[in-house]
Amino acid sequence: QFMGEIMGLSVLEKGIKDKLQVENVVVVPGNSDDYEWVKQEMGKACVSFLKKVTQSNATIAVTGGTTMASVANVMTPLEKADNYLFVPARGGIGEKVENQANTIAAKMSREAEGDYRLLYVPDPLSEISYQNIIQEPSIIEILQLIKNANIVLHGIGDALTMAERRKTSSEVMGILRDKKAVSEAFGYYFDQEGNVVHKVRTVGLQLEDLETMEYVITVAGGKSKAKAIESYFKHGKSNMLITDEAAAEQILRDS
Ligand code: G3H
């Protein structure tokens, strides 16, 4: 039965590689909508991949969310490298503190025995504060580190679920509904075709910055995220998707 499970998962991995056009895929058993341990398994797969690809002096940028928090929980030192740095990918985007990128970067660095730098920005940010803040020398310095990161670890959320969790204004909720937002990653909201329909105003990594990253590692699972994962992969850059069986099966079922 164990072998059957392994074979089943590798068939799913192959199917997802073809359908989403991504070079590396890992599918772990289960459905992370129902069980927390499934997120931990995705976390472990993420840490093993990170161990393979992280070189000494690397900068690793991380986003927020409960999935990234699970990755942080199972983080261990990245044996083959040293002197690596964790940074948050973007400023706070309305999440509870335990789900914020800053908290997760600090936790990952503690577990991995690396360094970290934090990005302190008020959340949400008005246009005028934004324009001022990006001129602060201390902010400029950390933004340089973020934009020049070698590796990015990020989650994908279902658009409306994320918007509600972040207590988004009713005006923006209206925009997301009108424009049929399906997924969210890095504070950007995407429709079914992968077009950006809205973006949270904060400093940090911009989608364009992904182009120069060596590895973009995506961790997202749960049957409820199937459509969101498909939407992100329409245009979003990723070199590695770590997902679960329930999401993978649903993605392959969707036409
Ligand atoms: O950006 C994506 C979301 O942060 C994912 O959040 O891992 O809690 O579903 P989640």
Side-chain angles (χ1 to χ4, degrees):
Q1 201 223 335
F2 181 67
M3 276 313 287
E5 228 168 57
I6 300 280
M7 303 247 309
L9 294 175
S10 63
V11 170
L12 288 175
E13 286 166 356
K14 170 85 175 71
I16 296 294
K17 266 187 205 175
D18 293 346
K19 183 152 183 183
L20 302 184
Q21 294 292 301
V22 51
E23 31 185 307
N24 300 289
V25 175
V26 168
V27 176
V28 306
N31 181 359
S32 52
D33 287 339
D34 298 336
Y35 298 103
E36 197 50 42
W37 60 263
V38 181
K39 279 187 191 168
Q40 305 268 328
E41 290 306 308
M42 292 195 289
K44 287 180 196 161
C46 179
V47 173
S48 344
F49 190 71
L50 210 51
K51 280 187 180 162
K52 278 190 219 149
V53 300
T54 307
Q55 299 190 346
S56 294
N57 307 311
T59 298
I60 303 165
V62 298
T63 68
T66 59
T67 311
M68 283 298 125
S70 295
V71 177
N73 278 333
V74 296
M75 184 61 73
T76 59
L78 307 171
E79 295 118 358
K80 280 194 290 190
D82 46 37
N83 200 32
Y84 37 80
L85 177 73
F86 290 88
V87 294
R90 301 197 76 197
I93 42 181
E95 293 269 15
K96 293 198 290 187
V97 70
E98 60 271 35
N99 293 338
Q100 282 189 16
N102 265 334
T103 314
I104 293 169
K107 164 90 173 157
M108 283 188 183
S109 108
R110 187 161 65 237
E111 301 299 329
E113 298 168 11
D115 288 322
Y116 67 93
R117 295 289 305 276
L118 299 181
L119 176 60
Y120 292 108
V121 288
D123 173 24
L125 205 50
S126 69
E127 182 61 34
I128 190 151
S129 314
Y130 171 83
Q131 293 303 340
N132 284 325
I133 252 178
I134 56 172
Q135 321 234 4
E136 281 294 328
S138 64
I139 298 285
I140 293 174
E141 194 194 332
I142 169 101
L143 289 181
Q144 280 308 319
L145 291 169
I146 294 170
K147 286 178 187 294
N148 293 319
N150 306 89
I151 299 173
V152 186
L153 301 182
H154 78 101
I156 299 175
D158 168 75
L160 296 180
T161 308
M162 291 312 302
E164 269 160 30
R165 192 165 97 188
R166 291 171 178 161
K167 314 246 179 308
T168 304
S169 69
S170 54
E171 188 197 340
V172 171
M173 288 302 286
I175 296 172
L176 296 175
R177 286 204 183 88
D178 287 352
K179 297 195 172 169
K180 300 193 168 53
V182 173
S183 65
E184 183 280 338
F186 302 104
Y188 287 78
Y189 288 86
F190 307 87
D191 67 13
Q192 197 184 341
E193 299 307 320
N195 304 307
V196 174
V197 296
H198 178 70
K199 176 184 169 187
V200 177
R201 183 163 48 215
T202 183
V203 294
L205 197 93
Q206 307 299 308
L207 272 192
E208 309 85 81
D209 300 327
L210 294 181
E211 295 310 317
T212 55
M213 303 282 163
E214 287 154 36
Y215 286 98
V216 179
I217 305 174
T218 310
V219 191
K223 187 175 179 190
S224 66
K225 282 192 188 175
K227 286 259 182 282
I229 295 169
E230 288 174 71
S231 143
Y232 177 78
F233 276 87
K234 286 277 160 68
H235 297 309
K237 177 178 168 174
S238 174
N239 304 95
M240 167 61 147
L241 170 64
I242 297 163
T243 188
D244 63 22
E245 197 179 358
E249 280 174 348
Q250 186 59 41
I251 291 168
L252 295 176
R253 234 175 265 139
D254 288 347
S255 52

